[in-house]
Amino acid sequence: MSLKKIGVLVSGSGSNFQKLIDHIHDVYGEIVVVLSDKADAYGLIRGKNAGIDAVFLDPKEYPENETYNEKIIERLKGHGVELVVLAGYMRIMTPNFIKAYPNAIVNIHPALIPSFCGKGFYGMRVHQAVINYGVKVTGATVHFVNEVADGGPIIAQETVKVADDDTPESIQKKVLEIEHQLLPGAVKAICLDELEVNGRIVRKRLK
Ligand code: GRF
């Protein structure tokens, strides 16, 4: 069986992308391209270092997010991408994007969806909101992307404890550690065609 072709979208450091390079690339799937909306995203350098086509597409050159996304879809399709992974990608997915890749876009969110997610919950804001609310556990979620922000079918979740002396920064660090295991695990399961999606329920396929 040929390896599933994966396209990755990053806006920043790309530490999750690095885990995909280390554990998935050329083993369970083939990462054929990494795209970014930020020229200085370190994720692009990670891609280049791994010999993966790394492309910055400037959103300023497109009048709307929808037309920008058309350009991204064009690039992904041009590379034969079958699975899109958002690994710290900060732009909103427009309906044309979701239509082009139904149940084939995966996102990682640094909290336990449906808590601390949706509009405005990104980056350190998520972890600050966790502290402000006083929850005793938080975590990470990998999910398929649909038209609702952070609202698609959940593939995998893992928790971390919130200690009395935790700060947004210390929670971010703990959560990132579990993200680094959760995302490759989910992508591997998809590459091996181990999952089935029924409505919003994702289960392991019975063999
Ligand atoms: C992660 O916390 C992820 O959950 C969120 O963006 C961050 C990306 O981190 N969507 P990195 O660029 O992979 O280091």
Side-chain angles (χ1 to χ4, degrees):
M1 210 175 74
S2 64
L3 296 181
K4 201 181 263 292
K5 287 195 184 338
I6 301 170
V8 179
L9 269 56
V10 295
S11 297
S13 147
S15 70
N16 279 287
F17 171 42
Q18 185 66 51
K19 297 295 164 185
L20 295 180
I21 293 171
D22 297 344
H23 300 292
I24 300 295
H25 187 46
D26 283 348
V27 183
Y28 300 106
E30 186 194 353
I31 304 173
V32 290
V33 64
V34 54
L35 297 167
S36 183
D37 58 334
K38 300 269 187 251
D40 58 354
Y42 189 65
L44 289 174
I45 294 171
R46 293 182 194 273
K48 272 182 205 143
N49 288 345
I52 296 165
D53 206 357
V55 184
F56 160 58
L57 281 177
D58 192 351
K60 287 194 209 88
E61 285 177 19
Y62 301 87
E64 286 163 28
N65 200 19
E66 183 126 10
T67 37
Y68 179 66
N69 278 347
E70 276 306 330
K71 190 74 208 166
I72 292 190
I73 297 165
E74 203 181 292
R75 284 285 183 136
L76 294 170
K77 295 279 179 189
H79 276 83
V81 167
E82 305 162 271
L83 176 68
V84 181
V85 181
L86 311 182
Y89 182 66
M90 304 306 275
R91 296 183 75 82
I92 298 288
M93 292 282 110
T94 44
N96 55 342
F97 206 136
I98 290 147
K99 219 180 273 167
Y101 283 99
N103 279 346
I105 309 169
V106 168
N107 182 44
I108 181 143
H109 183 73
L112 296 173
I113 291 176
S115 291
F116 308 110
C117 65
K119 204 163 182 271
F121 285 98
Y122 58 86
M124 206 53 92
R125 289 170 179 226
V126 176
H127 307 302
Q128 183 66 61
V130 159
I131 297 269
N132 293 350
Y133 204 92
V135 292
K136 303 305 180 198
V137 287
T138 183
T141 304
V142 181
H143 63 96
F144 286 115
V145 174
N146 67 8
E147 54 293 336
V148 180
D150 295 329
I154 291 172
I155 302 167
Q157 291 186 303
E158 195 58 69
T159 59
V160 298
K161 288 199 167 155
V162 180
D164 290 350
D165 59 354
D166 262 324
T167 60
E169 289 76 18
S170 67
I171 293 181
Q172 182 188 44
K173 193 162 171 266
K174 285 196 271 189
V175 169
L176 205 52
E177 272 169 33
I178 58 167
E179 288 184 39
H180 290 166
Q181 302 186 8
L182 212 56
L183 185 64
V187 171
K188 175 182 168 185
I190 296 169
C191 288
L192 296 178
D193 198 25
E194 288 178 345
L195 304 180
E196 61 184 20
V197 187
N198 223 320
R200 61 167 302 106
I201 309 300
V202 182
R203 288 210 177 90
K204 264 212 153 170
R205 204 186 284 286
L206 294 173
K207 292 208 171 117

